[in-house]
Each structure stands twice: as structure tokens, then as C-alpha cells.
Amino acid sequence: AGGVAHDFNNLMTAIQVSSDVAIMKVDEQNALHRDIKEIRLAALRASGLIRQLLLFSRKHPMEFSSFSLNDSIESLLKMLHRLIGEDIKIRINLDDDLWAVKADAGNIEQVIMNLALNARDAMPEGGELKIKTENLTFTRDINKSMPEAHAGNFVCLTIKDTGIGIPRENLPRIFDP
């Protein structure tokens, strides 16, 4: 899957570059200009799916490292803007003094990409995607309201959208493959 996704990604890159060149050569008033932009958008979305395949197909175990979640989000923003389209606005609220996280950066990026793509699908008429980071400190009292939680310092990533939402009957299965 990884090899096929890599080859397919190369084809999508050629389509994106060709469509970029074509857009520059066609007048904006020409109906063909709009069609080429649609081709380019579809290629960008396909590239996002390919990226997910490449992340999913990694054969090596997770590699935990300390990194800035804010930096990861900021590096994904350009791609997110292209993937979700112009009618969805991205609002970010990143804590300036965010603590470092210890995680697999690739998996975190995959989660953010998946949530953004799901949000896009839930907002076919456009909307807003909000991404927020913040530091949280849980005391021992957290066990009273969340028995599975433990005290400590944590980084919280919140992603919200103005989409149609998840039907209540699907909520128990949201983490199913």
C-alpha cells in the first residue's frame, strides 16, 4: 500500500503542477479556468488521502519524541487550507507558552488531518474549523469526574467545526475502524 500510495502521489503532483500552469494561461473569465481550478482542488484532496495512506502504511513502530504541537499545527495549516477548500475558514488559537508533547508526530498529524477532512465533509456548504491548544493541569480530584484520568500536566488539542454533527446513535462507535 505504501509503494502504490507513493507512486500515486507522484502522479498527483504532476496533475497539480500541470493544473497550476494551465490556470496561469487561461483568463479568469473563461469557464475553462473554473474547471481547471476544480481539477486542481480534486488533486489536492487526493494528495491528502494519499498522505493518510502513507502515514497508515508505515511499517515501523511508533517513534515517540518531544516536539511542539503548535509547530506541527502551523506546518499543516497550508495543506489544511488547500484540502478543505475556500468556503471553510480555519481559526486557530494556539497557546503561546504551550508545553512540549511526547508523542509520535506522524500519528498526531494523521489525527489532525483526519479530523479536518471529516469536518470538511460535515460542512458541504462551508463553515468554520477551530483548532486550539492549551496547557492543562489535573489535580488528584480529577478522578472523581473522570475515573480513567490521572493527575499531572497535559497539553490539550481541541478541534471543533460548525458541521452537521454526529448522529447520536453513532457516538458509541466513533473510534471504531
Side-chain angles (χ1 to χ4, degrees), residues 3-152:
V4 171
H6 182 74
D7 291 344
F8 194 61
N9 193 45
N10 291 339
L11 293 171
M12 290 284 72
T13 300
I15 292 170
Q16 289 173 29
V17 169
S18 297
S19 63
D20 285 341
V21 170
I23 285 173
M24 290 187 291
K25 292 181 178 180
V26 177
D27 184 77
E28 285 186 34
Q29 305 307 317
N30 189 324
L32 188 58
H33 189 273
R34 181 177 27 99
D35 293 339
I36 295 170
K37 282 182 76 172
E38 286 299 317
I39 292 168
R40 183 179 183 282
L41 183 59
L44 288 171
R45 287 182 174 155
S47 292
L49 293 173
I50 293 164
R51 180 177 168 82
Q52 288 181 43
L53 282 173
L54 289 169
L55 287 170
F56 179 76
S57 69
R58 296 185 314 171
K59 302 272 189 252
H60 59 84
M62 286 193 275
E63 295 178 14
F64 289 88
S65 62
S66 292
F67 63 95
S68 166
L69 183 58
N70 285 351
D71 289 349
S72 291
I73 291 168
E74 288 173 352
S75 70
L76 285 174
L77 279 177
K78 187 174 183 180
M79 183 188 314
L80 287 176
H81 281 290
R82 289 189 312 226
L83 285 175
I84 64 175
E86 296 173 1
D87 22 336
I88 297 174
K89 302 297 177 215
I90 299 177
R91 306 273 186 242
I92 61 168
N93 181 6
L94 306 179
D95 189 326
D96 290 333
D97 298 317
L98 195 69
W99 300 320
V101 297
K102 187 169 186 177
D104 183 295
N107 281 352
I108 297 295
E109 287 182 3
Q110 182 178 4
V111 166
I112 293 169
M113 294 293 292
N114 287 345
L115 290 171
L117 291 171
N118 288 345
R120 177 199 66 200
D121 294 344
M123 298 183 286
E125 304 298 320
E128 190 172 88
L129 177 68
K130 298 175 187 174
I131 301 173
K132 178 182 177 183
T133 60
E134 63 184 318
N135 296 321
L136 294 178
T137 299
F138 292 156
T139 63
R140 287 187 287 184
D141 294 337
I142 192 67
N143 293 96
K144 294 174 186 171
S145 59
M146 296 172 55
E148 66 279 358
H150 62 278

